[in-house]
């Protein structure tokens, strides 16, 4: 797509910052000289007479796929150590050399943590790691790392919905300029597999240019018949690297075709919302050079009591995390989708509003991440239409439509547990999820810059809404309006998210009632805001599923967990009493805490039973079933949420009260807990549970199964950043790629290869 930039990757997490000169076009001539040549061969001796280096060799890619450790920021690194032959660590200084002629060898810090370069100009290079004994600099040991190019970003698009015989062109990019490596595509039933899947793939077309990243494109065609909604994956891979990146294709019998690309392009005025947009000054500049940029989603349309209309979005999208000024231009699409070229420096964006007000993140009194911009004349659809929120059209695409406002007078509705919601965002388009946590206390990190090199503050929010679903959101969806799929009534304003350790998307959203109230309070003088919309109407729900339980059950248990569960099982058999509705027990795996063993208690589905949360020190899993299923061994090993009863209102009220009493102490005592809310136990869906979001880079040694009398459900993921997901984050790379004016290299600007920036979550 013209103007598509190389943005951050949900999969790789790597930012490749490409420099665009504002005043110095000769800058790129110097960069071109750096791209010539490739790295040479180095040799290594990992053991000398005094000490040795471990590991002696390794193969990684530019995303650090294959790296063996995580640094304190949550990014992958390859950890080296030096040991004395006589025993104990060797006091050494680390250095690195060799590598790519243009990108260099990467970096290694004083602790022996190696980070590869952000790109290559060859198919593979070798890097030499040297440890020098501090007491005697003449004594050295070396190790060799082979580096190959990794994926620069997710596939484009990273998700798409197709009806029977629908087609989509899928493109992959490698962090390599000038090499000869190709990308392979395969159909799969799983995100990282190479077999299965439905539909067909055409021939792969790869382009290799010295002044642009390698790109390969393939056409996917859906099967002629889709029995029901299912997900097929188009998986991209390369030789010599375990890295994978994929497009999730949602096949559906109803013939809906939905491609997020429509949310990222420049739209004709008056524009619908749910599209790419942001502050025209949201970029990082190094002198006269723009290094990277940020963008998010223009979410919805508000009006005040006088009828004036305003764009609604996040503070961090429209007001640059408190660093904007009133009157800043808000543009569509955002800079990330225009090669980081601000309006006024070149074509490709249109001013659609001027920044009017925002709720400051640095004020303790604010509890939402929101900003408004008064719309420019005739620039925005005055009905408040949002992309794909309407009915299916004859070509399978979804029409734009305003949100529903008739049942609430434009004030929106409150969220409830397991409420089905949809959002229309810049990156993943129209997707659906469930509300899985209420009243969430959450700490979110904000930065001064798009590159996230200068921390600004960590903002604590209370009473937020937790959302969960595969492919529900990704970087760039910040600011999207979350609506009830049954009636399109506004529910929340999406502002932060990420991917958990099971690969499931986790999101945080501000309740819309609080957004409207705080904006009105800031305006003062009896001001009031309401959503612009229409009669309530259903929304097509494009759901990629929720693999939380499946991923938990697929995880292997350690030997110690198996032994612990077996011991508890033996002691739990005395509970079995069919006349009282306890039909049997079996060993199992907890879905509330993946990787932890549990005791399954089968209960009569017609006779609800109270089962202890802990049996002999091990979690219990309560599964309603029949005596026949237990007898013949066909009873399930886990619960499913789609047909499970929700916790009663009384139990939810009790759980919310308990959570509010302990949440502050719980988060203060354990900094690894960055969010806590109330949701539904996956081990016993009839019970409410504390949903605790845990920094997976700082997982405590012990995680309690019960807190304040409530089951605990743990979500392991990286801390929430609003600018991008850090599921596999690594240090940023730097690459001078030409902003070419040569017609022979037209691929570079057309594919967005001249500039890269950052999406805002």
């Amino acid at each position: 797509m013209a103007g598509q930039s190389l943005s951050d990757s949900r999969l790789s997490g790597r930012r490749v910052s490409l420099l665009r000169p504002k005043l110095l076009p000769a800058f790129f001539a110097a960069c071109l000289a750096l791209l010539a040549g490739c790295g040479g061969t180095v040799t290594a001796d990992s053991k000398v007479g005094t000490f040795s280096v471990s590991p002696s060799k390794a193969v990684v890619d530019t995303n650090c796929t294959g790296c063996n450790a995580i640094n304190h920021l949550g990014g992958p690194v390859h950890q080296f150590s030096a040991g004395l032959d006589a025993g104990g660590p060797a006091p050494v200084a680390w250095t690195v050399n060799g590598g790519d002629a243009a990108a260099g060898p990467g970096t290694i810090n004083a602790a022996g943590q190696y980070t590869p370069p952000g790109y290559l100009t060859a198919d593979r290079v070798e890097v030499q790691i040297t440890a020098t004994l501090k007491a005697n600099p003449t004594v050295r040991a070396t190790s060799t790392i082979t580096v190959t190019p990794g994926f620069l970003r997710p596939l484009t698009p990273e998700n798409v919905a197709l009806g029977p015989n629908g087609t989509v062109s899928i493109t992959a990019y490698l962090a390599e300029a000038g090499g000869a490596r190709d990308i392979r595509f395969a159909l799969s039933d799983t995100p990282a597999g190479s077999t299965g899947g439905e539909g067909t793939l055409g021939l792969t077309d790869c382009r290799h240019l010295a002044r642009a990243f390698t790109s390969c494109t393939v056409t996917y065609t859906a099967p002629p018949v889709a029995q029901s909604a299912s997900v097929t994956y188009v998986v991209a891979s390369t030789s010599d690297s375990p890295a994978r990146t994929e497009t999730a294709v949602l096949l559906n019998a109803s013939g809906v075709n939905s491609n997020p690309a429509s949310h990222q392009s420049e739209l004709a005025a008056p524009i619908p919302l749910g599209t790419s947009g942001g502050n025209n000054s949201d970029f990082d500049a190094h002198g006269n050079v723009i290094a990277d940029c940020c963008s998010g989603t223009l979410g919805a349309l508000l009006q005040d009591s006088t009828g004036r209309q305003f764009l609604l979005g996040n503070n961090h999208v429209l007001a640059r995390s408190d660093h904007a000024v009133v009157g800043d231009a808000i543009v569509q699409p955002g800079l990330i989708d225009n090669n980081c070229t601000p309006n006024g420096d070149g074509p490709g964006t249109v001013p659609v509003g001027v920044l009017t007000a925002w709720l400051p993140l640095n004020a303790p009194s604010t509890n939402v991440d929101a900003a408004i911009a008064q719309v420019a004349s005739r620039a925005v659809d005055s009905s408040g239409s949002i992309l794909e929120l309407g009915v299916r059209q004859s070509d399978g695409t979804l029409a734009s439509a305003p949100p529903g406002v008739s049942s609430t007078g434009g004030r929106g509705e409150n969220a409830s547990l397991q409420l089905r919601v949809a959002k229309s965002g810049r990156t993943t388009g129209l997707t659906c999820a469930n509300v899985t946590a209420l009243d969430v206390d959450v700490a979110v990190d904000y930065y001064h810059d798009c590159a996230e090199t200068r921390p600004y503050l960590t903002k604590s929010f209370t009473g937020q809404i937790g959302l969960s679903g595969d492919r529900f959101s990704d970087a760039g969806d910040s600011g999207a309006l979350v609506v009830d799929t049954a009636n399109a009534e506004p529910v929340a304003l999406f502002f932060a998210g990420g991917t958990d350790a099971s690969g499931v998307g986790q999101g945080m959203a501000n309740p819309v009632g609080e957004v409207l109230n705080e904006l009105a309070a800031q305006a003062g003088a009896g001001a009031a805001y309401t959503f612009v919309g229409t009669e309530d109407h259903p929304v097509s729900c494009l759901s990629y599923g929720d693999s939380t339980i499946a991923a938990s059950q697929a995880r292997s248990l350690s030997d110690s967990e198996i032994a612990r569960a077996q011991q508890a099982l033996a002691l739990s058999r005395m509970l079995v009493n069919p006349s009282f509705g306890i039909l049997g027990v079996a060993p199992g795996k907890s879905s509330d805490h993946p990787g932890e063993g549990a005791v399954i208690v089968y209960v009569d589905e017609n006779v609800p039973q109270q089962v202890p949360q802990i049996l002999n020190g091990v979690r219990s899993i309560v599964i309603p079933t029949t005596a026949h299923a237990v007898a013949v061994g066909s009873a399930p090993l886990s619960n499913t949420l789609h047909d499970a009863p929700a916790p009663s209102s009384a139990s939810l009220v009790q759980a919310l009260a308990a959570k509010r009493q302990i949440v502050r102490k719980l988060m203060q005592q354990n900094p690894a807990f960055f969010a806590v809310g109330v949701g539904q136990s996956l081990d016993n869906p009839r019970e409410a549970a504390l949903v605790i979001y845990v920094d997976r880079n700082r997982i405590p040694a012990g995680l309690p199964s019960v807190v304040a009398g409530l089951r605990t459900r743990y979500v392991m993921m990286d801390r929430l950043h609003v600018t991008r997901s850090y599921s596999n984050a690594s240090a940023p790379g730097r690459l001078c790629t030409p902003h070419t004016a040569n017609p022979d290299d037209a691929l570079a600007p057309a594919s967005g290869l001249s500039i890269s920036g950052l999406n805002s979550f």
Side-chain angles (χ1 to χ4, degrees):
M1 181 184 81
Q4 174 68 49
S5 64
L6 294 179
S7 62
D8 276 289
S9 167
R10 172 190 53 80
L11 179 69
S12 71
R14 178 171 296 280
R15 187 192 75 256
V16 182
S17 298
L18 309 184
L19 307 182
R20 183 180 66 82
K22 295 183 74 178
L23 301 176
L24 301 175
F27 174 80
F28 287 105
C31 292
L32 287 175
L34 296 176
L35 291 175
C38 56
T41 301
V42 296
T43 59
D45 184 358
S46 63
K47 183 174 177 61
V48 294
T50 307
F51 71 97
S52 61
V53 173
S54 178
S56 60
K57 60 182 180 179
V59 177
V60 303
D61 65 19
T62 54
N63 302 131
C64 222
T65 308
C67 286
N68 62 8
I70 300 293
N71 64 17
H72 70 286
L73 297 175
V77 292
H78 209 76
Q79 179 68 63
F80 286 88
S81 61
L84 293 168
D85 290 351
V92 299
W94 298 96
T95 56
V96 57
N97 54 60
D100 191 87
T107 60
I108 192 167
N109 64 15
Q113 294 178 339
Y114 171 75
T115 302
Y119 71 100
L120 298 180
T121 58
D123 288 344
R124 57 191 294 139
V125 298
E126 290 186 340
V127 173
Q128 189 176 47
I129 304 295
T130 301
T132 301
L133 198 63
K134 291 182 178 180
N136 184 355
T138 64
V139 180
R140 301 176 179 177
T142 57
S143 178
T144 297
I145 290 183
T146 300
V147 182
T148 62
F151 288 101
L152 193 64
R153 53 168 297 164
L155 299 187
T156 304
E158 58 185 274
N159 62 286
V160 63
L162 293 176
N165 294 315
T167 64
V168 63
S169 179
I170 298 172
T171 301
Y173 297 95
L174 282 181
E176 179 180 31
R181 184 180 296 261
D182 284 343
I183 299 170
R184 297 176 297 196
F185 296 94
L187 295 178
S188 175
D189 293 322
T190 62
S194 58
T195 59
E198 298 181 71
T200 58
L201 293 174
L203 297 177
T204 301
D205 178 23
C206 291
R207 300 192 180 187
H208 305 277
L209 297 174
R211 294 184 291 177
F213 293 117
T214 294
S215 67
C216 295
T217 299
V218 69
T219 297
Y220 169 82
T221 302
V225 177
Q227 299 297 332
S228 60
S230 62
V231 179
T232 281
Y233 298 92
V234 179
V235 182
S237 63
T238 66
S239 59
D240 301 331
S241 172
R244 299 286 188 275
T245 184
E246 78 288 338
T247 291
V249 182
L250 178 62
L251 302 173
N252 62 94
S254 57
V256 171
N257 296 319
S258 173
N259 191 330
S262 63
H263 297 249
Q264 300 164 18
S265 59
E266 182 180 359
L267 302 177
I271 67 164
L273 301 174
T275 177
S276 168
N279 192 298
N280 194 48
S281 299
D282 208 356
F283 55 80
D284 299 340
H286 300 164
N288 291 320
V289 174
I290 290 179
D292 35 46
C293 58
C294 305
S295 297
T297 299
L298 305 179
L301 197 62
L302 300 182
Q303 64 183 10
D304 65 12
S305 54
T306 69
R308 290 184 303 171
Q309 294 189 333
F310 302 86
L311 293 168
L312 173 66
N314 293 140
N315 175 324
H316 74 269
V317 173
L318 302 184
R320 300 172 51 216
S321 300
D322 293 345
H323 294 95
V325 295
V326 172
D328 274 359
I330 305 303
V331 296
Q332 192 285 322
L335 300 186
I336 191 67
D337 293 308
N338 193 44
N339 290 329
C340 291
T341 305
N343 185 268
D345 280 10
T349 62
V350 175
V352 293
V354 292
L355 183 63
T356 306
W358 60 89
L359 297 166
L361 298 169
N362 60 9
S365 60
T366 61
N367 195 42
V368 296
D369 181 346
I372 57 174
Q374 187 165 351
V375 299
S377 177
R378 293 184 291 276
V380 177
D381 186 336
S382 61
S383 72
S385 279
I386 296 174
L387 286 170
E388 299 193 293
L389 218 60
V391 299
R392 178 186 176 276
Q393 303 179 106
S394 59
D395 63 355
T397 61
L398 297 171
S400 299
V405 298
S406 58
S407 62
T408 65
R411 298 289 302 176
E413 66 179 42
N414 294 327
S416 58
L417 201 60
Q418 293 304 329
L419 178 69
R420 197 68 165 159
V421 294
K423 73 97 192 68
S424 176
R426 176 261 174 202
T427 304
T428 55
L430 181 74
T431 53
C432 294
N434 282 63
V435 174
T436 49
L438 299 173
D439 196 34
V440 182
D441 287 43
V442 57
V444 180
D445 297 331
Y446 290 85
Y447 290 81
H448 287 279
D449 57 336
C450 291
E452 295 193 345
T453 60
R454 296 185 293 125
Y456 173 45
L457 56 78
T458 297
K459 175 76 171 178
S460 293
F461 299 90
T462 61
Q464 304 302 299
I465 299 170
L467 309 167
S468 175
D470 297 349
R471 309 286 166 162
F472 176 66
S473 64
D474 203 349
D477 287 330
S478 270
L481 184 67
V482 178
V483 301
D484 185 339
T485 59
N487 55 21
E489 283 279 352
V491 174
L493 183 66
F494 186 81
F495 77 102
T499 304
D500 67 22
S502 297
V504 178
Q506 302 290 337
M508 287 290 161
N510 305 139
V512 291
E514 190 154 8
V515 170
L516 298 181
N517 290 340
E518 290 199 27
L519 287 170
Q522 185 195 56
Y529 295 97
T530 55
F531 286 95
V532 177
T534 187
E535 293 292 321
D536 290 358
H537 60 90
V539 177
S540 295
C541 192
L542 300 183
S543 173
Y544 292 80
D546 189 325
S547 56
T548 299
I549 292 177
S552 299
Q553 295 302 307
R555 181 167 172 174
S556 299
L557 298 181
S558 66
D559 291 342
S560 61
E561 278 299 308
I562 293 173
R564 199 169 71 93
Q566 289 287 355
Q567 183 178 15
L569 176 67
L571 297 173
S572 299
R573 289 196 171 99
M574 65 182 66
L575 290 175
V576 178
N577 188 337
S579 63
F580 286 97
I582 306 297
L583 305 178
V585 295
K589 302 176 182 178
S590 171
S591 294
D592 281 338
H593 186 179
E596 186 174 315
V599 173
I600 298 173
V601 180
Y602 292 113
V603 300
D604 189 328
E605 60 187 9
N606 298 311
V607 185
Q609 291 292 323
Q610 293 292 326
V611 176
Q613 298 162 329
I614 304 297
L615 294 173
N616 303 303
V618 172
R619 289 176 184 261
S620 66
I621 301 173
V622 182
I623 301 180
T625 187
T626 65
H628 176 75
V630 174
V632 301
S634 63
L637 298 178
S638 63
N639 289 295
T640 56
L641 282 181
H642 72 274
D643 57 358
S648 67
S649 297
S651 66
L652 277 176
V653 169
Q654 183 179 6
L656 289 167
K659 171 258 174 185
R660 289 165 187 162
Q661 290 181 351
I662 64 167
V663 62
R664 181 169 297 184
K665 182 178 180 181
L666 190 64
M667 295 178 72
Q668 288 177 343
Q669 286 181 339
N670 200 324
F673 297 166
F674 63 86
V676 179
V678 171
Q680 187 172 15
S681 169
L682 303 181
D683 289 339
N684 187 1
R686 291 181 180 272
E687 291 188 40
L690 282 181
V691 182
I692 303 176
Y693 299 77
V694 185
D695 184 342
R696 66 176 177 182
N697 303 305
R698 304 171 63 184
I699 297 176
L703 294 173
S705 302
V706 175
V707 173
L710 297 172
R711 288 179 181 263
T712 53
R713 175 184 167 193
Y714 293 104
V715 179
M716 311 293 185
M717 61 184 296
D718 294 317
R719 291 183 62 88
L720 292 178
H721 294 241
V722 292
T723 49
R724 57 175 174 148
S725 169
Y726 274 75
S727 58
N728 284 310
S730 55
R734 297 293 180 194
L735 172 58
C736 300
T737 296
H739 192 73
T740 180
N742 185 344
D744 294 336
D745 285 338
L747 174 65
S751 297
L753 297 176
S754 56
I755 296 298
S756 178
L758 299 179
N759 295 329
S760 278
F761 228 120

